[in-house]
Amino acid sequence: MLERIDSLPREEFRRRKELAEETFLRHGVTFAVYSDEQSGVERVFPFDLIPRIIAADDWRLLEAGLRQRIEALEAFLGDVYGPGRCMSEDIIPREIVEGSSGYLAEVRGIEPPGGVRVHVAGIDIIQDPAGSFLVLEDNLRTPSGVSYVLENRAVMKRTFPRIFEEAHVRPVDDYGLRLAEALSELAPNGRDAPRVVILTPGPLNSAYFEHSFLARRMGCELVEGRDLFVANDKVWVKTTAGAQPVDVIYKRIDDAFIDPEVFRKDSILGVPGLMAAYAKGNVTLANGVGNGVADDKAVYPYVPDLIRFFLDEEPLLGQVETFICARPKECEYVLANLGSLVVKTVDEAGGYGMLIGPQASKQEIEDFGSRIRANPRSYIAQPRIELSTAPTWTGDAAAPRRVDLRPYIVSGRSRWVLPGGLSRVALREGSYVVNSSQGGGSKDTWVLDDSVDSPAEAKR
Amino acid sequence: MISRVAENCYWLMRYVERCDTMARLLRVHAGMMLDNVLPEDRTWLPLLIVAGEEPAFEERFGAEGVGDGELVQKYLTWDDSHSASIFSSLRSARENARTIRETISLEMWNTLNSLWLWLGEDETREMFDSEREMFYHEVNDRCHLFRGVWHNTVLHEEPFHFMRLGLNLERAGMTARILDLHHHALSEASQAPTEAVDAVEWIAILRTRYAYEPFFKKRRSALGGRGVAEFLLQEESFPSSVAYAVARAQQALERIRPEGSVIGLRSAELLNVLRSTVLNLDVGRAIDSNIHGVLTHIVEHTAELSQVISEEYFHAAVSAPAVGSARSVSDA
């Protein structure tokens, strides 16, 4: 496949790339950057036309590992907000769990419909130089980026129709339907034809494109907090025909903002009384409230043990060795080896609050050291893993650039893994940072289907 | 549908209409200058008045600025410090569209977003400088395209009807406003026969509302103030006439309101009154007595309507149905 793309004249490739970018811009597949100006300049997420290809066998392995991991994390969340066995049986220290900023005591005792809390998960995966998949990070609150997966695919199909015809690439188009189905079947009291809405912070949010995109693909309404209200512990939406009941809310707002009566009082994005309705079982919230405890970077090192504990299975996916600064001995080691480690702040995402030792200046290392000493609970450290690379267009030729992968797992009454996911690529030579806010781009991810022989069949 | 989304639908079409009207006004007035029959300030001042920007403009550029056609054109085309420019209207239209992308069609979004991106290109700015007529023409054409795409790519259901409501109220108000600008000419013309200067003005008014050819198809009478006013107020088969726009707005509201609904009573009533006011108007007599008063009344009436629609549909105080309603019973 790559050879086919490689055989295109350079000029032709450049022309197709321009076409693709124009499509993104015209479709408004953009994110707003607020650091530049007050108004929020819209940018196109840089896109690389050379796909990331994953063989069917590799994918089978990865998918099984992801299913296992989500099952365990789901069980962990149910336990943390329920009986707390994993803590009383010393699988994970109570202070790690209850000290996490993602742990919300208000959620204790709440049993969500179907017992599902991790409706949508995005697990960040890297490959080590030997090609094994390792989990780098779990995202169990509001993992974003899936709209790019679907838009990237649409653009690829338009840009390379011929090449696509010959490839046996598994489709990703049904994501919206799968998610809508999963959420509908978890409506409170098994209601028929429930009203599912997506709750967005509004058009000024940098991910608004994705919220709006998902509303279209899921065929549901996009609402802001001010469109909703709670009365009699039920959630209602204000319509032109008066108040209408709401059954399921796919929230794309941080937990801290969803209900000013319970969490941040200054939140104007949320819905007063929402938590009460949730506690009464009158509304399904996706993802569950309080999921942040399970994707906390300080909990991450315990996940293999949690898999063994809850599922009585060996973990199928490896993960990166992690030092927890909250533990004095490990903290000492981290401080002594800052120059060779990657240090992360436990509750920051997006590549912020991070130290990449091997690339940092002496001053940066010293500054970070004193921040760790002041607040060890906030930091973890990992050896720098040599991310695997994928061929990437650099303007005049293809060259290796580092990539990661975020597959998406959707859970309703059953579980479904989107074949593929968001491949993010560090476009700058030598860079390890794949975040869009810091010079990263994305690629289409092709999971090959080996169950078909001919292209004609593959398309079915 | 969700009230906030209905509001976005309503304003989306109003802003597109405003953008279109402003481009058309500027284009027609620039053409009128070529005929060289009016002093510059008499050509450009009405545009500032129609935009509601006269005080702000004068404060910034002084009274002599009004005579500077180039300045007025730039102000009403590109200036983003006020809401009446083509640039600002389009930005608002696009922002409304972006907010409700899940409601509008992909084609609507693409058409509008393309217009917005086009407006920001260097080549477009160059076109404005060197081929102004073509520039305004392009804006108008793209607005027409957008409305065509709109009409043919969405379900003709509630969101569509709110868009129709916005478009037609904007149109009705704008037509009355444009006529009102010329109320002096209307009153004067009733005293004296039409002169060349007047003819240029009547033609300009008609062209501003895309009414030049339709007018002559419909009325074989001589061109004059009364005929133009009657046509733009009462012609029931012309899309930009007040009567036509109000009738369409009424239709839209009827589709939105289920029969017997308690929601929207005042809006429906106000629309009824407006329609009969317009249809029953004796234009000839009004011109002889107080056409300015009549036109002002229509403009204010449409503004009040917009306010009431907002209160009844977009920002109504909504409460949960009392326990015992159908849904609550089925929950039990």
Side-chain angles (χ1 to χ4, degrees):
Chain A
M1 213 56 56
L2 290 176
E3 274 165 26
R4 265 303 295 271
I5 291 174
D6 200 42
S7 70
L8 284 173
R10 290 294 175 262
E11 238 355 274
E12 177 65 12
F13 192 84
R14 233 172 256 133
R15 200 184 59 79
R16 293 195 190 189
K17 185 172 162 61
E18 272 168 28
L19 254 172
E21 267 160 19
E22 206 183 290
T23 309
F24 281 121
L25 194 63
R26 218 162 59 91
H27 284 199
V29 188
T30 55
F31 62 95
V33 183
Y34 282 91
S35 50
D36 292 7
E37 276 171 44
Q38 82 291 356
S39 56
V41 181
E42 285 175 35
R43 293 267 171 78
V44 172
F45 192 11
F47 177 61
D48 182 56
L49 280 184
I50 306 177
R52 156 88 163 285
I53 295 175
I54 300 177
D57 281 338
D58 290 343
W59 180 256
R60 261 190 287 276
L61 201 73
L62 180 57
E63 179 173 339
L66 291 168
R67 285 173 180 275
Q68 179 195 51
R69 193 170 177 98
I70 299 303
E71 197 179 338
L73 289 170
E74 185 76 80
F76 170 63
L77 279 167
D79 186 42
V80 160
Y81 293 118
R85 282 173 48 228
C86 62
M87 295 177 282
S88 56
E89 295 184 30
D90 288 333
I91 308 300
I92 182 169
R94 187 172 292 274
E95 60 273 19
I96 292 272
V97 172
E98 296 182 357
S100 160
S101 62
Y103 173 79
L104 303 174
E106 293 82 353
V107 178
R108 287 186 64 168
I110 296 180
E111 179 63 25
V116 180
R117 287 182 161 88
V118 187
H119 306 82
V120 183
I123 307 297
D124 289 346
I125 299 286
I126 55 174
Q127 271 176 293
D128 65 16
S132 316
F133 293 109
L134 301 178
V135 175
L136 186 64
E137 217 173 277
D138 303 296
N139 296 280
L140 310 177
R141 285 163 290 171
T142 48
S144 63
V146 75
S147 58
Y148 296 114
V149 176
L150 274 64
E151 285 285 352
N152 286 352
R153 176 62 57 85
V155 165
M156 284 296 278
K157 279 185 180 165
R158 191 176 305 181
T159 314
F160 297 117
R162 288 249 187 87
I163 295 178
F164 235 92
E165 235 165 67
E166 295 162 18
H168 307 201
V169 181
R170 290 180 59 189
V172 293
D173 262 346
D174 51 346
Y175 179 85
L177 293 175
R178 299 269 188 171
L179 179 55
E181 256 173 44
L183 296 183
S184 297
E185 62 194 26
L186 292 175
N189 312 318
R191 217 165 259 161
D192 274 348
R195 192 177 203 126
V196 180
V197 300
I198 298 179
L199 177 60
T200 173
L204 293 180
N205 185 269
S206 63
Y208 190 74
F209 167 76
E210 176 152 305
H211 306 159
S212 153
F213 177 89
L214 287 171
R216 275 180 280 144
R217 290 303 184 94
M218 294 166 67
C220 66
E221 288 162 315
L222 183 60
V223 304
E224 295 179 23
R226 60 192 162 116
D227 298 328
L228 304 177
F229 68 98
V230 174
N232 313 322
D233 290 332
K234 288 182 179 155
V235 184
W236 306 85
V237 59
K238 299 172 194 167
T239 79
T240 54
Q244 301 287 330
V246 172
D247 303 303
V248 182
I249 301 176
Y250 179 31
K251 61 181 173 67
R252 298 293 301 241
I253 292 182
D254 285 352
D255 285 350
F257 293 94
I258 58 169
D259 183 352
E261 285 179 6
V262 178
F263 303 115
R264 282 182 62 156
K265 310 251 174 302
D266 59 340
S267 170
I268 51 166
L269 303 175
V271 188
L274 186 60
M275 281 302 286
Y278 183 51
K280 284 261 167 74
N282 287 336
V283 65
T284 301
L285 296 182
N287 285 355
V289 183
N291 279 11
V293 63
D295 65 17
D296 191 307
K297 293 187 180 73
V299 169
Y300 166 90
Y302 298 94
V303 174
D305 284 342
L306 293 171
I307 293 173
R308 293 182 191 102
F309 178 68
F310 287 112
L311 308 182
D312 200 17
E313 291 172 8
E314 272 307 301
L316 298 172
L317 293 174
Q319 61 179 50
V320 183
E321 185 187 13
T322 303
F323 306 100
I324 303 165
C325 297
R327 294 173 173 165
K329 270 207 175 146
E330 293 176 31
C331 189
E332 241 169 75
Y333 174 83
V334 169
L335 287 169
N337 293 281
L338 277 178
S340 62
L341 295 171
V342 176
V343 187
K344 295 175 179 174
T345 316
V346 290
D347 36 24
E348 293 234 33
Y352 294 104
M354 187 169 161
L355 175 83
I356 301 175
Q359 288 174 359
S361 71
K362 234 182 140 184
Q363 187 60 43
E364 284 170 324
I365 289 179
E366 271 175 29
D367 289 351
F368 228 87
S370 45
R371 278 159 64 186
I372 296 171
R373 269 182 219 101
N375 193 6
R377 169 67 182 77
S378 294
Y379 297 92
I380 57 148
Q382 295 168 336
R384 183 167 76 172
I385 301 293
E386 200 50 48
L387 291 182
S388 57
T389 62
T392 300
W393 182 251
T394 61
D396 42 30
R401 290 289 182 271
R402 298 188 174 86
V403 288
D404 76 353
L405 173 66
R406 175 179 289 181
Y408 297 86
I409 302 97
V410 173
S411 303
R413 298 269 167 209
S414 59
R415 194 158 278 135
W416 176 73
V417 183
L418 176 73
L422 184 64
S423 282
R424 295 184 301 178
V425 51
L427 293 173
R428 277 187 229 127
E429 193 172 4
S431 173
Y432 284 80
V433 183
V434 295
N435 303 83
S436 56
S437 48
Q438 303 196 28
S442 74
K443 283 170 166 294
D444 192 12
T445 312
W446 291 5
V447 172
L448 301 184
D449 191 345
D450 61 359
S451 64
V452 285
D453 297 325
S454 77
E457 255 176 84
K459 276 195 280 183
R460 248 173 238 146
Chain B
M1 68 184 294
I2 293 168
S3 304
R4 180 184 49 80
V5 175
E7 184 170 26
N8 287 129
C9 288
Y10 176 86
W11 281 104
L12 165 60
M13 294 314 282
R14 285 199 80 140
Y15 283 124
V16 170
E17 193 64 19
R18 259 179 217 181
C19 168
D20 187 22
T21 302
M22 187 50 74
R24 185 76 186 172
L25 271 166
L26 285 161
R27 180 172 149 202
V28 169
H29 279 248
M32 207 162 123
M33 281 310 294
L34 299 179
D35 287 335
N36 217 5
V37 286
L38 289 176
E40 280 227 32
D41 54 351
R42 201 169 150 200
T43 306
W44 299 110
L45 181 63
L47 266 63
L48 291 167
I49 295 173
V50 117
E53 280 299 311
E54 190 197 359
F57 183 86
E58 280 203 19
E59 193 178 317
R60 224 165 109 188
F61 302 106
E64 66 278 9
V66 178
D68 185 343
E70 187 63 19
L71 190 64
V72 175
Q73 289 177 62
K74 281 192 172 145
Y75 184 78
L76 292 177
T77 305
W78 299 108
D79 200 302
D80 64 353
S81 68
H82 65 96
S83 63
S85 67
I86 290 176
F87 182 89
S88 297
S89 295
L90 194 58
R91 183 176 53 191
S92 301
R94 194 234 182 209
E95 198 50 23
N96 271 279
R98 191 175 76 84
T99 304
I100 53 166
R101 268 194 71 179
E102 80 289 355
T103 304
I104 65 175
S105 65
L106 179 64
E107 292 77 11
M108 279 172 80
W109 167 258
N110 280 346
T111 310
L112 190 61
N113 195 38
S114 294
L115 171 52
W116 172 247
L117 294 172
W118 172 81
L119 199 67
E121 284 168 12
D122 292 342
E123 290 83 354
T124 306
R125 203 55 202 241
E126 282 160 24
M127 187 197 230
F128 175 81
D129 289 335
S130 59
E131 304 280 349
R132 189 147 314 166
E133 155 98 28
M134 244 166 81
F135 167 81
Y136 290 130
H137 208 298
E138 181 86 25
V139 173
N140 289 141
D141 280 355
R142 284 170 178 256
C143 290
H144 287 313
L145 175 65
F146 176 76
R147 282 181 299 247
V149 165
W150 161 61
H151 216 276
N152 290 296
T153 58
V154 295
L155 292 169
H156 286 202
E157 290 179 350
E158 204 177 348
F160 174 80
H161 298 310
F162 272 105
M163 293 181 202
R164 220 153 57 113
L165 196 55
L167 178 142
N168 284 294
L169 286 183
E170 178 70 25
R171 238 176 224 181
M174 202 46 102
T175 297
R177 216 177 262 254
I178 288 169
L179 263 179
D180 192 30
L181 279 178
H182 301 272
H183 72 265
H184 287 300
L186 283 170
S187 312
E188 285 160 19
S190 73
Q191 319 294 331
T194 301
E195 291 172 23
V197 175
D198 295 329
V200 169
E201 205 163 340
W202 303 136
I203 289 170
I205 297 174
L206 288 170
R207 295 189 55 190
T208 301
R209 298 318 273 154
Y210 298 106
Y212 184 60
E213 287 181 18
F215 176 84
F216 287 105
K217 285 202 175 85
K218 201 71 195 176
R219 316 203 150 226
R220 304 188 189 265
S221 61
L223 182 63
R226 179 176 166 179
V228 169
E230 275 176 353
F231 186 82
L232 289 182
L233 284 170
Q234 296 175 317
E235 178 51 60
E236 289 184 82
S237 57
F238 179 64
S240 284
S241 80
V242 177
Y244 182 99
V246 170
R248 286 299 173 281
Q250 215 170 10
Q251 251 178 25
L253 190 65
E254 276 164 18
R255 296 286 171 80
I256 291 164
R257 287 187 74 214
E259 210 158 322
S261 167
V262 288
I263 300 173
L265 271 177
R266 286 169 63 214
S267 305
E269 179 57 25
L270 275 173
L271 261 173
N272 251 330
V273 173
L274 179 59
R275 189 169 181 200
S276 51
T277 304
V278 173
L279 289 180
N280 296 328
L281 182 69
D282 183 333
V283 175
R285 268 178 65 187
I287 285 177
D288 288 336
S289 55
N290 183 17
I291 186 74
H292 177 53
V294 171
L295 292 170
T296 309
H297 174 73
I298 292 175
V299 170
E300 282 169 359
H301 198 118
T302 55
E304 188 190 349
L305 241 169
S306 196
Q307 182 58 37
V308 170
I309 287 169
S310 169
E311 284 164 17
E312 290 191 309
Y313 284 103
F314 308 150
H315 300 282
V318 174
S319 55
V323 179
S325 72
R327 183 60 181 266
S328 309
V329 170
S330 71
D331 286 349

PDB file of all heavy atoms in Angstrom, chain B residues 226-239:
ATOM      1  N   ARG B 226     -46.042  56.508  -5.733  1.00  0.00           N
ATOM      2  CA  ARG B 226     -47.163  55.737  -5.223  1.00  0.00           C
ATOM      3  C   ARG B 226     -47.124  54.289  -5.718  1.00  0.00           C
ATOM      4  O   ARG B 226     -47.304  53.345  -4.946  1.00  0.00           O
ATOM      5  CB  ARG B 226     -48.464  56.393  -5.636  1.00  0.00           C
ATOM      6  CG  ARG B 226     -49.651  55.612  -5.144  1.00  0.00           C
ATOM      7  CD  ARG B 226     -50.946  56.292  -5.453  1.00  0.00           C
ATOM      8  NE  ARG B 226     -52.022  55.327  -5.257  1.00  0.00           N
ATOM      9  CZ  ARG B 226     -53.296  55.605  -5.421  1.00  0.00           C
ATOM     10  NH1 ARG B 226     -53.651  56.821  -5.802  1.00  0.00           N
ATOM     11  NH2 ARG B 226     -54.198  54.682  -5.222  1.00  0.00           N
ATOM     12  N   GLY B 227     -46.844  54.145  -7.003  1.00  0.00           N
ATOM     13  CA  GLY B 227     -46.787  52.804  -7.574  1.00  0.00           C
ATOM     14  C   GLY B 227     -45.696  51.969  -6.917  1.00  0.00           C
ATOM     15  O   GLY B 227     -45.898  50.809  -6.577  1.00  0.00           O
ATOM     16  N   VAL B 228     -44.547  52.575  -6.722  1.00  0.00           N
ATOM     17  CA  VAL B 228     -43.422  51.857  -6.095  1.00  0.00           C
ATOM     18  C   VAL B 228     -43.781  51.466  -4.669  1.00  0.00           C
ATOM     19  O   VAL B 228     -43.562  50.333  -4.236  1.00  0.00           O
ATOM     20  CB  VAL B 228     -42.137  52.727  -6.126  1.00  0.00           C
ATOM     21  CG1 VAL B 228     -41.056  52.119  -5.251  1.00  0.00           C
ATOM     22  CG2 VAL B 228     -41.647  52.885  -7.565  1.00  0.00           C
ATOM     23  N   ALA B 229     -44.352  52.397  -3.933  1.00  0.00           N
ATOM     24  CA  ALA B 229     -44.706  52.122  -2.543  1.00  0.00           C
ATOM     25  C   ALA B 229     -45.752  51.013  -2.466  1.00  0.00           C
ATOM     26  O   ALA B 229     -45.654  50.093  -1.660  1.00  0.00           O
ATOM     27  CB  ALA B 229     -45.204  53.395  -1.861  1.00  0.00           C
ATOM     28  N   GLU B 230     -46.740  51.109  -3.323  1.00  0.00           N
ATOM     29  CA  GLU B 230     -47.784  50.068  -3.315  1.00  0.00           C
ATOM     30  C   GLU B 230     -47.180  48.698  -3.628  1.00  0.00           C
ATOM     31  O   GLU B 230     -47.502  47.703  -2.992  1.00  0.00           O
ATOM     32  CB  GLU B 230     -48.862  50.394  -4.353  1.00  0.00           C
ATOM     33  CG  GLU B 230     -49.924  51.324  -3.817  1.00  0.00           C
ATOM     34  CD  GLU B 230     -50.952  51.720  -4.883  1.00  0.00           C
ATOM     35  OE1 GLU B 230     -50.753  51.372  -6.079  1.00  0.00           O
ATOM     36  OE2 GLU B 230     -51.929  52.394  -4.522  1.00  0.00           O
ATOM     37  N   PHE B 231     -46.315  48.710  -4.620  1.00  0.00           N
ATOM     38  CA  PHE B 231     -45.709  47.439  -5.024  1.00  0.00           C
ATOM     39  C   PHE B 231     -44.897  46.827  -3.884  1.00  0.00           C
ATOM     40  O   PHE B 231     -45.037  45.653  -3.549  1.00  0.00           O
ATOM     41  CB  PHE B 231     -44.809  47.655  -6.254  1.00  0.00           C
ATOM     42  CG  PHE B 231     -44.257  46.383  -6.825  1.00  0.00           C
ATOM     43  CD1 PHE B 231     -45.029  45.600  -7.679  1.00  0.00           C
ATOM     44  CD2 PHE B 231     -42.983  45.954  -6.503  1.00  0.00           C
ATOM     45  CE1 PHE B 231     -44.534  44.414  -8.205  1.00  0.00           C
ATOM     46  CE2 PHE B 231     -42.476  44.767  -7.016  1.00  0.00           C
ATOM     47  CZ  PHE B 231     -43.248  43.990  -7.875  1.00  0.00           C
ATOM     48  N   LEU B 232     -44.048  47.630  -3.285  1.00  0.00           N
ATOM     49  CA  LEU B 232     -43.162  47.084  -2.244  1.00  0.00           C
ATOM     50  C   LEU B 232     -43.889  46.788  -0.935  1.00  0.00           C
ATOM     51  O   LEU B 232     -43.448  45.973  -0.143  1.00  0.00           O
ATOM     52  CB  LEU B 232     -41.999  48.040  -1.992  1.00  0.00           C
ATOM     53  CG  LEU B 232     -40.961  48.116  -3.119  1.00  0.00           C
ATOM     54  CD1 LEU B 232     -39.830  49.058  -2.749  1.00  0.00           C
ATOM     55  CD2 LEU B 232     -40.400  46.730  -3.452  1.00  0.00           C
ATOM     56  N   LEU B 233     -45.023  47.442  -0.736  1.00  0.00           N
ATOM     57  CA  LEU B 233     -45.765  47.148   0.495  1.00  0.00           C
ATOM     58  C   LEU B 233     -46.761  46.014   0.299  1.00  0.00           C
ATOM     59  O   LEU B 233     -46.906  45.147   1.146  1.00  0.00           O
ATOM     60  CB  LEU B 233     -46.511  48.404   0.967  1.00  0.00           C
ATOM     61  CG  LEU B 233     -45.659  49.485   1.638  1.00  0.00           C
ATOM     62  CD1 LEU B 233     -46.478  50.758   1.829  1.00  0.00           C
ATOM     63  CD2 LEU B 233     -45.127  48.999   2.980  1.00  0.00           C
ATOM     64  N   GLN B 234     -47.461  46.050  -0.846  1.00  0.00           N
ATOM     65  CA  GLN B 234     -48.673  45.214  -0.922  1.00  0.00           C
ATOM     66  C   GLN B 234     -48.679  44.114  -1.978  1.00  0.00           C
ATOM     67  O   GLN B 234     -49.607  43.316  -1.995  1.00  0.00           O
ATOM     68  CB  GLN B 234     -49.871  46.139  -1.141  1.00  0.00           C
ATOM     69  CG  GLN B 234     -50.082  47.081   0.029  1.00  0.00           C
ATOM     70  CD  GLN B 234     -51.188  48.077  -0.226  1.00  0.00           C
ATOM     71  OE1 GLN B 234     -51.279  48.632  -1.327  1.00  0.00           O
ATOM     72  NE2 GLN B 234     -52.030  48.295   0.776  1.00  0.00           N
ATOM     73  N   GLU B 235     -47.698  44.090  -2.854  1.00  0.00           N
ATOM     74  CA  GLU B 235     -47.748  43.105  -3.927  1.00  0.00           C
ATOM     75  C   GLU B 235     -47.618  41.685  -3.363  1.00  0.00           C
ATOM     76  O   GLU B 235     -46.552  41.271  -2.919  1.00  0.00           O
ATOM     77  CB  GLU B 235     -46.633  43.377  -4.944  1.00  0.00           C
ATOM     78  CG  GLU B 235     -46.564  42.377  -6.074  1.00  0.00           C
ATOM     79  CD  GLU B 235     -47.917  42.157  -6.756  1.00  0.00           C
ATOM     80  OE1 GLU B 235     -48.472  43.122  -7.290  1.00  0.00           O
ATOM     81  OE2 GLU B 235     -48.419  41.010  -6.729  1.00  0.00           O
ATOM     82  N   GLU B 236     -48.696  40.947  -3.415  1.00  0.00           N
ATOM     83  CA  GLU B 236     -48.713  39.654  -2.731  1.00  0.00           C
ATOM     84  C   GLU B 236     -47.939  38.564  -3.444  1.00  0.00           C
ATOM     85  O   GLU B 236     -47.757  37.474  -2.923  1.00  0.00           O
ATOM     86  CB  GLU B 236     -50.155  39.214  -2.491  1.00  0.00           C
ATOM     87  CG  GLU B 236     -50.830  40.058  -1.424  1.00  0.00           C
ATOM     88  CD  GLU B 236     -52.234  39.586  -1.108  1.00  0.00           C
ATOM     89  OE1 GLU B 236     -52.338  38.633  -0.316  1.00  0.00           O
ATOM     90  OE2 GLU B 236     -53.190  40.153  -1.664  1.00  0.00           O
ATOM     91  N   SER B 237     -47.496  38.859  -4.675  1.00  0.00           N
ATOM     92  CA  SER B 237     -46.744  37.805  -5.366  1.00  0.00           C
ATOM     93  C   SER B 237     -45.258  38.145  -5.482  1.00  0.00           C
ATOM     94  O   SER B 237     -44.509  37.437  -6.137  1.00  0.00           O
ATOM     95  CB  SER B 237     -47.344  37.563  -6.759  1.00  0.00           C
ATOM     96  OG  SER B 237     -47.347  38.768  -7.483  1.00  0.00           O
ATOM     97  N   PHE B 238     -44.837  39.224  -4.823  1.00  0.00           N
ATOM     98  CA  PHE B 238     -43.414  39.575  -4.909  1.00  0.00           C
ATOM     99  C   PHE B 238     -42.685  39.290  -3.580  1.00  0.00           C
ATOM    100  O   PHE B 238     -43.049  39.825  -2.534  1.00  0.00           O
ATOM    101  CB  PHE B 238     -43.251  41.048  -5.296  1.00  0.00           C
ATOM    102  CG  PHE B 238     -41.810  41.445  -5.378  1.00  0.00           C
ATOM    103  CD1 PHE B 238     -40.977  40.862  -6.344  1.00  0.00           C
ATOM    104  CD2 PHE B 238     -41.260  42.333  -4.475  1.00  0.00           C
ATOM    105  CE1 PHE B 238     -39.632  41.187  -6.387  1.00  0.00           C
ATOM    106  CE2 PHE B 238     -39.908  42.669  -4.527  1.00  0.00           C
ATOM    107  CZ  PHE B 238     -39.101  42.082  -5.487  1.00  0.00           C
ATOM    108  N   PRO B 239     -41.634  38.428  -3.632  1.00  0.00           N
ATOM    109  CA  PRO B 239     -41.013  37.908  -2.405  1.00  0.00           C
ATOM    110  C   PRO B 239     -40.489  38.958  -1.416  1.00  0.00           C
ATOM    111  O   PRO B 239     -40.419  38.673  -0.233  1.00  0.00           O
ATOM    112  CB  PRO B 239     -39.854  37.057  -2.930  1.00  0.00           C
ATOM    113  CG  PRO B 239     -40.266  36.651  -4.290  1.00  0.00           C
ATOM    114  CD  PRO B 239     -41.086  37.784  -4.825  1.00  0.00           C
TER     115      PRO B 239
END
